[in-house]
Amino acid sequence: MNILVLNGPNLNLLGLREPELYGREDYAALERFIRAAAQEAGAAVTIRQSNFEGELVTWVQQAHGVFDGLVINAAAYTHTSVALLDALKAVRLPAAEVHLTDIDAREPFRRVSYAGMACGAHFKGLGFEGYRRAIRWLCGL
């Protein structure tokens, strides 16, 4: 299984941004965790992060025919990006949505997930562990 993991805006600031919500570990620690989780599952993984919506959309489009599935934490674009939703629907790859926090228990505007509408599984509020579960879910399909 070849998996693309996409992380959206501000995830590169893990450890700095609201550590009481997102934890004190930095983005490098998240990448190490994801790589270890993929190795445990016997999967290959490519990890990308961008603060730019168009770049994330392009990576989703380019995943078609290259990857077997994807994990997406669209971060703030979760709640605003119909473009990401459309790209995910267009490529028709199995996709899992991940959020470090439980977006359903936060502000009302965070409870809408456009990207999540194209995902077959959702892992919210589990911190880094959500990525492991998403990878395992994809490997189990």
Side-chain angles (χ1 to χ4, degrees):
M1 165 92 28
N2 190 14
I3 299 172
L4 175 62
V5 176
L6 294 180
N7 289 305
N10 299 312
L11 283 164
N12 58 308
L13 295 178
L14 281 177
L16 296 175
R17 180 182 174 223
E18 299 177 273
E20 65 282 359
L21 288 176
Y22 298 103
R24 301 205 180 281
E25 293 190 86
D26 64 11
Y27 188 74
L30 175 60
E31 286 187 323
R32 286 190 301 274
F33 182 92
I34 293 167
R35 290 186 199 293
Q39 186 174 13
E40 289 170 9
V45 68
T46 299
I47 306 167
R48 296 184 179 146
Q49 187 276 329
S50 181
N51 294 318
F52 300 100
E53 180 181 24
E55 190 164 40
L56 292 165
V57 168
T58 296
W59 288 337
V60 169
Q61 292 174 357
Q62 291 172 344
H64 180 71
V66 176
F67 293 94
D68 303 308
L70 65 89
V71 174
I72 186 163
N73 181 343
Y77 292 132
T78 298
H79 323 292
T80 63
S81 183
V82 174
L84 273 172
L85 167 63
D86 289 347
L88 288 163
K89 288 169 62 175
V91 299
R92 296 184 184 169
L93 285 172
E97 176 184 35
V98 172
H99 294 286
L100 297 172
T101 65
D102 182 358
I103 61 172
D104 295 327
R106 294 188 61 192
E107 304 94 334
F109 73 88
R110 293 191 195 273
R111 296 177 192 157
V112 174
S113 174
Y114 290 106
M117 293 175 189
C119 294
H122 310 271
F123 302 91
K124 305 171 189 175
L126 302 171
F128 287 10
E129 179 62 23
Y131 288 88
R132 182 190 332 265
R133 293 192 189 183
I135 288 167
R136 287 181 179 168
W137 178 80
L138 284 168
C139 288
L141 292 178

